[in-house]
Amino acid sequence: MTGSYTFTDGPAWGNWSVLGNAGFSSGESYYNALVLNSNDVPYVAYRDYANNLGLSVMRFSGSVWEIVGKVNAFDNAAVYISMAMGNNGNYPYISFADHSYSDRLSVATFDVWANKWIYLGPGGFSDSSISTLSPLVMDSNNVPYIVYQDWTYGNRISVKKYDAGQDRWNFVGDPGFSPDRAGYVSIAIGSGNIPYVAFQDSQVDMVSVMKYDAGQNKWIFVWQQWFTSKSPVYSSIKIDNNGVPYVLYADKDYDYNLCVMKYDAWMDKWSFLGNKWFTSGGVADIPSFAINSNNVPYVSYQNKILNNKATVMTYDSWSNQWIALGTSWFSADGAIYTSLDFDSNDVPYVTFQDKSATMKATVMNYSEVAATSGNYLYQWYRNGVAITWATGIDYIVTIDDLDKTISFEVLPYSSTFVPGVPVQSNITVPGPICGNGLIEIFETCDEGDAVNGQLGHCNLTCNGTTTQIVGNGGAGATVVSQDQCPSNRDCSSSYYDSLCGPCSETGTSHASASGDITDSSYSDELNQAYQRSFAHGITTMATIQKANMEGLLIRSHMAKMISNFAIKVLDKKPDTTLSCLFADTNNESAEMKFYIKTACQLGLMGRESDGKTTKKNFEPAGIITRAQFATVLSRLLYGDTYNSSDFAHRYTKHLQALHTKGIINDISTPNANEIRGYLMLMLMRAQK
């Protein structure tokens, strides 16, 4: 493989650096959005956990991050935040689902004279509430457009643009114009200010792209209606300076690996840009897609196989491959809600919710480092094929590496960009698969001091058994990793894993405990639901204020809550013969791993639609909707009674059954995100 990794313009490598201080927001940030203005000032908008979940905006002054206007700009909760900057603007436009208007869409702009954020047009201008991200863009005349999933029209797509003369938002073409329900909607503006939309088309579960034909006042398909592989998620569309559309999506059937397709107007077809599934390990959250002024596409994402850290990849037209920009994983820890933009010199900036900074907002930017004597380029290979994202000193093992030969190449460069002799080494990942069926991913291979002949190694472990470490010329060792166990398990044989060792009754029972509701602002029924949940270990927070009653419900937390309810209240027994292992849960705590496994063994979560096959991924950070929770609870209470073979209406009978029995009062917005307090409430009603 000597010399196979080539940089035609000379080597370019660089560093990602924190801009200002890490974790600059006052509290946890959600739905982070980033743009830079015409003076290269970065703005970050986010859902501010420290300020009643409201919309807060900060900018970098050159030395510190400062609030723009005031925190919680509209004195109410905001979610699904998107931000756009005009071509000559100093302040961004921001769209969000506005709790002041029952989660309908609002767009904000900044009033410099009043030093506050104000509505652009009326607040809450959509006809119904919003339950997904609704991207906002600007055309070349600084006219804002927004796309959203329109509940009024069966979750089909609607697009509106702002009419400054009338101070209102008008439909572009017909409302609800997509053929059927649309997911992961996205919008971009092409040549001649023609809007394009991309979306997951529920008719065949593929991505479709449509553009607006002003002459006919209708939306038409670009090429044919469907053109991607099946099961796409996180679709996003961008258009370069030549008017060429690009579509990004994650392929759910291929471990959420990313693909980018480019439209060729001459051939009238969509083709893959570079290597298909180029992320080699998949994304754990919605990626951010952007194209710089030189028409080079970039993508930032939360990297599932690299401890959920941030990765940025860019397309290299010379090699026709996607490559990692700088270190393959550059954030200090997990990075959620990544958002990507460029300054006027095409320097990329990324914001994210920073796990290393107590989930507060961080921004990092990239700077190239001039080559000097002693600089090296690294490339890792799997069975001789370059792993495109693996261009750092370290490589983290994935399940795809089992029984494969992992090799690395170190290419030294002089200060004048003269390459030296590449140094290579091979590392064989042991097999066959052992123990519970999976190697422990996230173990690290390092290149050692390869340029001086010292080879690196990989450390591999398997849960509950042993495997051989191979490396450093064949030196071996044995590593044992005990099965993951919950911290508060009791001695019930129905739900604790025998591999966890002896159980203890000490401190495990919550049955006689009563959670503290002093100074509670909630209704009597919610107070009672919290206390019952605390008594059964569904929540372990000793006061209702700490129980995060209004917090969004994510899949890993629901796994714990629904498992405790099923076992301790309904006396259900999990099928412990099922392995229920998932490729994307290795970064979870030992306790969360246990409850994820238990929820799967109970047949409640992590199963395919047949109810038997374990899914490859659990998506622990995924947000639960009311329809999803209702389906899980209905199946727990009534088995398969209300299942439906109609995919588009698979939740309907479950929701209706729970509504009829008085467990769920409101089923009008099934796609609305569920919150923790309402889960406790519905579990209490189900128990009565």
Side-chain angles (χ1 to χ4, degrees), residues 335-354:
I336 311 171
Y337 305 115
T338 68
S339 180
L340 170 70
D341 198 17
F342 307 96
D343 68 15
S344 59
N345 295 312
D346 281 336
V347 173
Y349 289 65
V350 175
T351 186
F352 50 89
Q353 184 194 66
D354 190 345

Side-chain angles (χ1 to χ4, degrees), residues 516-522 527 544-545:
D516 186 356
I517 58 172
T518 303
D519 297 325
S520 170
S521 61
Y522 299 107
N527 289 338
I544 196 169
Q545 288 82 5

Side-chain angles (χ1 to χ4, degrees), residues 166 178 225 242 384 392 463 484 506 519 550 553 580 585:
Q166 299 292 323
S178 57
Q225 183 172 352
N242 296 321
N463 279 345
Q484 305 291 354
T506 304
D519 297 325
E550 297 178 47
L553 183 63
C580 283
T585 59

Side-chain angles (χ1 to χ4, degrees), residues 475-518:
T478 298
V479 175
V480 178
S481 176
Q482 192 179 44
D483 200 9
Q484 305 291 354
C485 311
S487 59
N488 65 337
R489 67 186 186 274
D490 63 21
C491 291
S492 166
S493 61
S494 67
Y495 91 105
Y496 106 89
D497 194 319
S498 60
L499 293 178
C500 291
C503 62
S504 171
E505 296 290 355
T506 304
T508 60
S509 176
H510 297 283
S512 62
S514 177
D516 186 356
I517 58 172
T518 303

Side-chain angles (χ1 to χ4, degrees), residues 79-80 96-99 101-105 124-132 134 148-152 155 666 668-673:
V79 70
Y80 304 122
F96 56 100
D98 191 343
H99 200 58
Y101 292 92
S102 303
D103 293 328
R104 289 176 167 84
L105 269 178
F125 59 79
S126 60
D127 295 328
S128 56
S129 62
I130 299 301
S131 59
T132 60
S134 302
Y148 58 99
Q149 187 187 64
D150 197 334
W151 173 255
T152 305
N155 283 327
D666 184 4
S668 63
T669 55
N671 292 324
N673 292 332

Side-chain angles (χ1 to χ4, degrees), residues 310-323:
T311 294
V312 170
M313 299 190 73
T314 183
Y315 175 66
D316 177 14
S317 59
W318 296 100
S319 64
N320 192 33
Q321 288 195 354
W322 288 83
I323 60 174

Side-chain angles (χ1 to χ4, degrees), residues 308-526:
N308 289 318
K309 295 182 179 182
T311 294
V312 170
M313 299 190 73
T314 183
Y315 175 66
D316 177 14
S317 59
W318 296 100
S319 64
N320 192 33
Q321 288 195 354
W322 288 83
I323 60 174
L325 188 66
T327 306
S328 298
W329 60 100
F330 57 82
S331 57
D333 205 335
I336 311 171
Y337 305 115
T338 68
S339 180
L340 170 70
D341 198 17
F342 307 96
D343 68 15
S344 59
N345 295 312
D346 281 336
V347 173
Y349 289 65
V350 175
T351 186
F352 50 89
Q353 184 194 66
D354 190 345
K355 187 177 179 182
S356 72
T358 61
M359 313 306 278
K360 297 178 181 179
T362 292
V363 170
M364 299 182 74
N365 62 0
Y366 179 77
S367 58
E368 291 187 356
V369 178
T372 61
S373 181
N375 283 130
Y376 304 98
L377 296 179
Y378 300 90
Q379 178 63 59
W380 292 81
Y381 297 84
R382 181 187 296 118
N383 280 359
V385 178
I387 305 169
T388 55
W389 53 265
T391 55
I393 292 176
D394 293 329
Y395 172 69
I396 295 182
V397 176
T398 76
I399 190 63
D400 295 331
D401 298 327
L402 215 71
D403 290 327
K404 305 294 195 305
T405 297
I406 303 299
S407 62
F408 57 86
E409 180 178 84
V410 184
L411 186 60
Y413 270 87
S414 72
S415 59
T416 57
F417 301 113
V418 176
V421 178
V423 180
Q424 296 177 300
S425 174
N426 289 340
I427 300 168
T428 302
V429 179
I433 294 175
C434 63
N436 55 17
L438 292 174
I439 63 170
E440 287 280 3
I441 64 172
F442 305 121
E443 297 297 334
T444 301
C445 299
D446 68 81
E447 54 78 40
D449 189 11
V451 294
N452 293 317
Q454 301 297 314
L455 306 183
H457 63 277
C458 299
N459 297 317
L460 303 180
T461 65
C462 287
N463 279 345
T465 183
T466 65
T467 188
Q468 193 75 14
I469 298 177
V470 178
N472 286 335
T478 298
V479 175
V480 178
S481 176
Q482 192 179 44
D483 200 9
Q484 305 291 354
C485 311
S487 59
N488 65 337
R489 67 186 186 274
D490 63 21
C491 291
S492 166
S493 61
S494 67
Y495 91 105
Y496 106 89
D497 194 319
S498 60
L499 293 178
C500 291
C503 62
S504 171
E505 296 290 355
T506 304
T508 60
S509 176
H510 297 283
S512 62
S514 177
D516 186 356
I517 58 172
T518 303
D519 297 325
S520 170
S521 61
Y522 299 107
S523 67
D524 290 343
E525 191 180 26
L526 272 173

